[in-house]
Amino acid sequence: MRHERRIGMAKRQGAAAVEFAIVGPVFFLLLAGMIVYGGWFWMAHSVQAAVSEGARAAIAGLDAVEREQLAREVVETQLKDLGLKAADAVVAVRAEPGRFRVEVAYDAGGHPLMALSPLTVPPPRIIRRAAVIRVTEA
């Protein structure tokens, strides 16, 4: 009777190893996907916050040139403050009739959080965000 119990326990221990061998890789791929996409969403939100702050700062400018300068400076400062590289961002500023548009294209491919992206379906490498403010020329 005791001998039969030992054999049954040994079979159950081996079953756990087989189950982990089946479920483990899927679990680790899901974990990698959560890290990659969580990091990407954080970066996308941070870029949007920087663009919005740049557009808000541009309101203080008296003309299109001063608005552009203010917007660029604030976007770069905000990106650095949020832990992103300002050098990876391309800032475009356009003065339209009655509006002022700030756009940023951020290259997220070099960020350390994206190192696991080959293990999943990778998110877009370039994060594009924009903000628009209304302006009235006096």
Side-chain angles (χ1 to χ4, degrees), residues 18-116:
V18 171
E19 289 171 3
F20 182 75
I22 293 170
V23 175
V26 174
F27 172 74
F28 288 120
L29 287 175
L30 284 172
L31 185 63
M34 286 188 286
I35 291 169
V36 168
Y37 277 90
W40 189 87
F41 285 125
W42 167 76
M43 282 187 281
H45 178 74
S46 298
V47 170
Q48 182 62 54
V51 170
S52 297
E53 287 298 319
R56 280 188 206 107
I59 292 173
L62 299 176
D63 59 3
V65 174
E66 189 176 6
R67 286 186 187 114
E68 180 176 348
Q69 180 184 3
L70 286 169
R72 287 181 186 279
E73 288 174 1
V74 170
V75 167
E76 289 179 10
T77 302
Q78 286 291 314
L79 288 174
K80 289 177 187 173
D81 290 347
L82 293 168
L84 299 174
K85 293 180 187 175
D88 291 343
V90 176
V91 180
V93 179
R94 289 190 312 207
E96 301 170 354
R99 298 185 196 177
F100 190 77
R101 183 178 192 85
V102 181
E103 298 174 343
V104 172
Y106 184 79
D107 184 3
H111 198 277
L113 287 173
M114 296 296 110
L116 295 174

